[in-house]
Amino acid sequence: MFGRRGVAVALGSVMLAGSSLVWAPIGRATADEEGSVGCVGHSESRYDPPLKLLAGPTHVHADITYTCGAHGRTVPATGSFNSEAPAASCVAVSGGSGTETIRYADGGRSLIAYDSATTLRVTGVLVVIQRGRVVEGRGQGHPVRRTITGLPQELPTECLTSGLQGGSNEVQLEIEP
């Protein structure tokens, strides 16, 4: 009825909508007063070099647009994620380290260092759960969970030729209390 893309979109939407219900919307609070900050958004990622069947080192870059909420209000934000994957392929990505800089429309900023990731592929749906900590700015010292869901934009046969160039995914980010 929905097709694979419809199922992935529905799954991602349910995850994002359900988890966003527990977040309070963003304000100006000190680090001690900050509770959970939740962001939902969309990312466009690129792999350099493109992912192929054989694993190799790859640089991953993603630009993300977020809507974040905490402390009674919401604010738009943008994110820039970078990672060096030592052994990435069309089938799997090793490691989970990387950094993300989030710039909030109200002038705030968070620098996040990710140190672990779990990657799952279920019937073509990609799910990546990353964990890390805010190392600078808003939420400094707080743990972070980032969940990425989506379908590949390119055909799997691209793995045999030019490789997968990138992806378009839904992202959920939570800076935990």
Side-chain angles (χ1 to χ4, degrees):
M1 179 168 126
F2 289 122
R4 287 180 47 184
R5 183 152 180 86
V7 170
V9 170
L11 174 64
S13 297
V14 167
M15 284 178 53
L16 293 174
S19 62
S20 67
L21 294 175
V22 298
W23 297 330
I26 211 163
R28 296 210 182 253
T30 67
D32 292 334
E33 296 170 326
E34 288 182 3
S36 179
V37 174
C39 302
V40 293
H42 180 80
S43 75
E44 293 293 331
S45 59
R46 295 179 299 286
Y47 310 121
D48 183 26
L51 300 181
K52 296 202 171 190
L53 279 180
L54 295 176
T58 301
H59 175 80
V60 180
H61 175 81
D63 293 310
I64 308 107
T65 56
Y66 286 116
T67 299
C68 299
H71 308 294
R73 57 180 262 231
T74 61
V75 65
T78 59
S80 179
F81 173 82
N82 286 287
S83 175
E84 299 297 328
S89 71
C90 289
V91 179
V93 177
S94 68
S97 63
T99 60
E100 181 176 14
T101 301
I102 304 203
R103 297 186 192 291
Y104 304 96
D106 65 5
R109 177 180 162 275
S110 296
L111 175 61
I112 301 168
Y114 296 100
D115 55 16
S116 69
T118 302
T119 303
L120 306 166
R121 287 194 187 269
V122 179
T123 63
V125 177
L126 171 69
V127 178
V128 179
I129 300 170
Q130 294 177 300
R131 292 215 169 258
R133 183 162 297 283
V134 179
V135 295
E136 281 180 28
R138 183 174 287 161
Q140 184 171 347
H142 290 258
V144 174
R145 182 180 62 211
R146 182 176 187 247
T147 305
I148 303 147
T149 58
L151 287 172
Q153 291 179 309
E154 301 163 277
L155 295 173
T157 54
E158 294 294 320
C159 289
L160 302 172
T161 58
S162 62
L164 296 179
Q165 306 288 322
S168 178
N169 301 298
E170 300 309 308
V171 181
Q172 171 189 324
L173 174 79
E174 183 174 6
I175 299 174
E176 300 171 343

